[in-house]
Amino acid sequence: MSRPSTAHGAPRGVSAAFTLWGEVAEPTRLTVADLRADWEQHRAEVVFDCATAGPQHHTFEGPLLREVLRHVRPDFDPARRKERSRFLLAVSGGDGHHTVLSWAEIDADFGNATVLLATRMDDADLDAAGTQLVVPSDRCGARYVSAVTGIWIGACPAPMPAPTPGSVPASAPAPA
């Protein structure tokens, strides 16, 4: 694989760009054209339920999300599984939609999900529309994010200790 371009992409309207940032060594901006040129393309035929349009059947092509994210070198030791497993990915789209995945979902040592950053949908290039996050294992389409504008990578903070009985304020909701 050649080193991906970090240029701001083609002229406006030709290839939409998005930013990879957060707890990474090399924040960068990529276009759909960069994704197509610099990474192996995978194909996924998917069916998912859309709350507003019903069942959707599409074919997507694009690189694996985990391969693209390795380019920015997330701030964890790749040899330490427990360290990798606490990282989160927040993906934002052009319409304000956003979702969260865990690094463990896409990591080959854990969930090994084939999540794509699509460069093509139903044999049409997505250069002008922008890349789409594709989660083929999801039955519901809520984590399919169109026109990706950014992907933040970072560690989940350690949770606070659970409150002890009697230390929860009276106004706190009772557990179900």
Side-chain angles (χ1 to χ4, degrees):
M1 178 186 88
S2 63
R3 183 168 171 81
S5 165
T6 56
H8 290 312
R12 210 166 258 228
V14 174
S15 193
F18 66 98
T19 303
L20 297 164
W21 62 285
E23 294 178 38
V24 299
E26 292 186 46
T28 193
R29 193 155 173 81
L30 297 171
T31 66
V32 174
D34 294 330
L35 293 175
R36 191 177 300 110
D38 296 328
W39 282 276
E40 178 183 352
Q41 302 295 291
H42 298 264
R43 188 175 176 90
E45 293 183 23
V46 301
V47 177
F48 60 88
D49 185 46
C50 175
T52 57
Q56 301 292 300
H57 300 263
H58 295 288
T59 300
F60 292 98
E61 295 174 48
L64 294 174
L65 174 61
R66 68 176 160 247
E67 295 299 325
V68 175
L69 294 180
R70 282 188 186 127
H71 167 69
V72 296
R73 298 193 341 256
D75 289 340
F76 55 69
D77 179 350
R80 299 187 64 201
R81 291 179 181 159
K82 286 186 178 182
E83 192 172 328
R84 293 188 330 246
S85 71
R86 65 187 179 91
F87 269 67
L88 300 174
L89 315 169
V91 182
S92 300
D95 63 356
H97 178 68
H98 57 275
T99 195
V100 176
L101 294 98
S102 71
W103 185 274
E105 284 181 83
I106 64 171
D107 191 299
D109 286 336
F110 295 97
N112 199 28
T114 56
V115 177
L116 303 179
L117 287 173
T119 61
R120 294 176 57 81
M121 181 174 104
D122 299 330
D123 297 320
D125 290 342
L126 293 175
D127 294 80
T131 191
Q132 180 161 338
L133 180 72
V134 176
V135 188
S137 60
D138 283 5
R139 189 177 60 84
C140 157
R143 293 199 300 176
Y144 282 65
V145 177
S146 300
V148 171
T149 57
I151 301 174
W152 174 87
I153 302 106
C156 178
M160 298 296 291
T164 57
S167 68
V168 179
S171 62

